Amino acid sequence: MRTQGEITAVLGPTNTGKTHLALTRMLGRSSGVMGLPLRLLARELYDRVVKAKGPGAAALITGEEKIVPKSARYFLCTVEAMPLDLRPAFLAIDEIQLAADPDRGHVFTDRLLHARGSEETMLLGASTMAPMLSRLVPDAHKVERERFSTLTYSGPKKIGKLPRRSAIVAFSAEDVYAIAELIRRQRGGAAVVMGALSPRTRNAQVELYQSGEVDYLIATDAIGMGLNMDVDHVAFAAFSKFDGHRRRRLRPDEIGQIAGRAGRFRSDGTFGETGDARALDAETIAAVENHEFAPVSKLTWRNSALDFSSLEALRNSLARPCPAKGLERVRGALDEQVLETLSADAEVRGWTRAPGGLETLWDVCRIPDFRKTTTDEHARLSRQIYAYLMSREGVLPDAWLEGQLARVSGTAGDVAVLSQRLAHVRTWTYAANRPGWTRDPAHWQARTREVEDALSDALHEALMTRFIDRRTSALVKGLREKADLAAGVDHRGEVTVEGHFVGRLKGLRFSADHAGGPLAQRAVTGAALKAVRPEINRRLGALARADAADLELDSDGYLVWQGERTGKLARSADRLNPDVVLVGGELGAPEAVSRAAQHLQRHVAGEISRYLGPLLRLKDHGGTGAGLDGLARGIAWRLVEAGGATPRRQLAADIAQLSAHERRQLRSAGVRIGEHGVFLPALLKPRAASLNALLCAVHSCDADQRFRPQPGRVCLPAPPERSETEIAAAGYLVCGSLAVRVDMLERLADAIRDARKSHPRSWFALDDTMMALLGLPMSGLEEIVRALGYTRVSKAAETAPDMWAASRKARRSPPERARPPAPVDSASPFARLAELSLTPAAARPRPRASHKSRRKRANTSGKGARPA
């Protein structure tokens, strides 16, 4: 008769040290078995036992992995894989509240009722199991443990505002990946933990979090099952999940199980919502904070004493009703569904009659669906495996198994592809660890582990690449651990902090690298500026001493130094004396910035004096009156305001009143009064014209969209959005839809004038010389001639060219009027003198009487006349 030792039920919320207590008690015994809810947790405790007792004393048994040294004394297992033929001194079952789970609960219930240690048995779980334990295991001694730290609700927070050391819980791989991507953009990166990950990938991801390389963990509810990490805050991205049958809302005890991972040992923790999760109600919050939940009322059960005498007997034994109150038979179990599907196959029914055939069929039906396919698809794979096991060889063929692994062993691909391959490999890992399923179990266990490890490493790298900005994470970690970070600027202007590229110094501007998002910029700003500021001050000093030959004013209004834009023209009150502002340099010392800006201002003034000297002198003459008199001064001023060129019609009234002396003054000042335009010929040179147009555009705050004719162009289309004044400032006059350089327009006027002299009616014909002068076809030349006031007249003969003459409107235009007398100040004595008349009264013309007065006088004189 088998004896059993003391049974202890250690109950309490998370962070009460239950698992640690059980592990310590087991290591104090000669042997032990611990049944755990997750493969990941089994691996974690196995590593701890190996560290404490050595690899020869520890064994790991899960559905997909089996490490069993001959000298093993301590077995760490998933609950489903617990070896029931052992009789250890100590036995523990963790998370016994999972006995109520509709899918796996029957396994936990069976272990709860039947698995015992010869010296001690420990049942670990939530306090909600106390009533059921009293009913089903009445001889268990219950021990309630208090949580080491306080768990507090902190309310909803946006994902970007979550505190460091937070775990964000979602309930699907798609949601986990989406949140991890968001965290990467906003906070530098996150680790990912899901139950579907292999232990190798999961451990690597957890290490990223535990080491502080990332501060956020995105996980499924797998973290609620005993995974111990330094989590300060748990944020729920949702409160509902698909449990394999339907989508439902989490129960308060499930919320408490997950939220309880916040806080470690004596450190308090918080929980709350994030994302689209609706706020918790006050009742649920109180239950979670106080760890007070409704007790478990039913456990899932299935008969474990199966009858393998026949297929029908097996099905009947699986359907046996529950033996005690509080137990509920499992419904819809996958292994039973596969059994029902395969039982309908006549060939399968025949195989079950062979010795051991029925037991083998049931083993095959219990293969977990790691691939998450449909029941029919999983049943097809199970049948194929069963067929090989019932063949003459009685094992899975080596070639077939190698082919299955070869199809999924590639390590290229994204996270989704690698995750899917890893799920397939888990099926073959499970098969390789089943006794008697392969010809060389050790080889295939090693082979499947090799493929799984390679895929796990590739998946870990893919997760890091997709969800972690390594540079930002390293810099954030460095800023937390070091007061000063090593920063520098190389000869190419690349700025590095702790060896990581963080930006580039171009001219006087520091451009931060935006690859890491806002967090990366905040993380490195201080350290980067430490290196950038001295370099910017050095460049400002060199710029303030730069020779004129090293500075260039480009066509966009920027001052270029050493290949970089360091200054820019800006609008001022005086068009010919624009301001100069630095491009960048804000990080430099104020005095260095001021000296560099003043030097650039002087350089620009020198360029304007060099190329626009005639316009500057004309401005001085017009402003001060030195060198120009009367109307000449006014025309000079208006010409300066227009930018150095203007259509003659705009100044026609003033030009008509110029005296010969005033015309000579303007000619001496470099002004040419042409037939169609008034301009400064010196400003038509390409560099002068370009600079003059640029100054006009800067003054109008439209430098980017200004009129920019190519050097040497005589005629080009006139942009409709540009004003006539702006086009004239570049040395062109608008003629219809075309803009013609003003000096060439005057040469055309000279040619027309010469042609008109030779015709008795002052007509003229358009010839090849005129077309060549403007570089236009005949149609373009005709458009310009019309714009100048000429019209086509009739031909002398059919073969004669078209003749042109001044339009009737032009011929009837009034002549230029003589200068009117200057107005006299009404307050001066000369105004009073002008009112006086020095003509004798007798000589003054009598005012003409009105028609009525003349008629009255005529009538009066007729009545009073005397006869002769």
Side-chain angles (χ1 to χ4, degrees), residues 626-675:
L628 295 177
D629 298 329
L631 278 178
R633 188 193 313 170
I635 288 177
W637 182 256
R638 292 181 63 183
L639 192 60
V640 170
E641 288 293 301
T646 186
R648 174 170 176 153
R649 66 178 181 275
Q650 295 185 1
L651 301 176
D654 291 341
I655 292 174
Q657 300 173 56
L658 286 173
S659 65
H661 173 67
E662 291 168 339
R663 288 177 180 270
R664 286 194 297 271
Q665 287 181 330
L666 289 172
R667 194 178 307 114
S668 299
V671 177
R672 178 180 174 184
I673 301 176
E675 183 174 341

Side-chain angles (χ1 to χ4, degrees), residues 759 761 763-765 782 791-804:
H759 193 279
R761 300 182 64 177
W763 291 1
F764 66 95
E782 289 177 353
T791 186
R792 197 194 309 267
V793 295
S794 59
K795 301 178 181 178
E798 288 296 329
T799 59
D802 291 353
M803 301 301 293
W804 295 74

Side-chain angles (χ1 to χ4, degrees), residues 126 135 142 173 199 207 225 231 336 428 431 530 562 572 686 716 747 764 794 843:
R135 176 183 300 174
K142 290 186 284 296
E207 179 58 27
M225 295 298 166
V231 175
E336 293 186 42
W428 309 122
K530 177 183 175 182
Q562 295 184 350
S572 69
L716 68 160
R747 288 181 61 182
F764 66 95
S794 59

Side-chain angles (χ1 to χ4, degrees), residues 820-843:
V824 179
D825 186 359
S826 59
S828 69
F830 297 99
R832 302 297 300 170
L833 183 62
E835 296 176 359
L836 298 177
S837 177
L838 302 180
T839 306

Side-chain angles (χ1 to χ4, degrees), residues 126-149:
S127 301
T128 55
M129 283 292 292
M132 291 303 299
L133 287 175
S134 298
R135 176 183 300 174
L136 300 176
V137 191
D139 52 348
H141 172 62
K142 290 186 284 296
V143 176
E144 288 283 345
R145 292 178 68 93
E146 296 292 332
R147 181 179 167 89
F148 293 139
S149 60

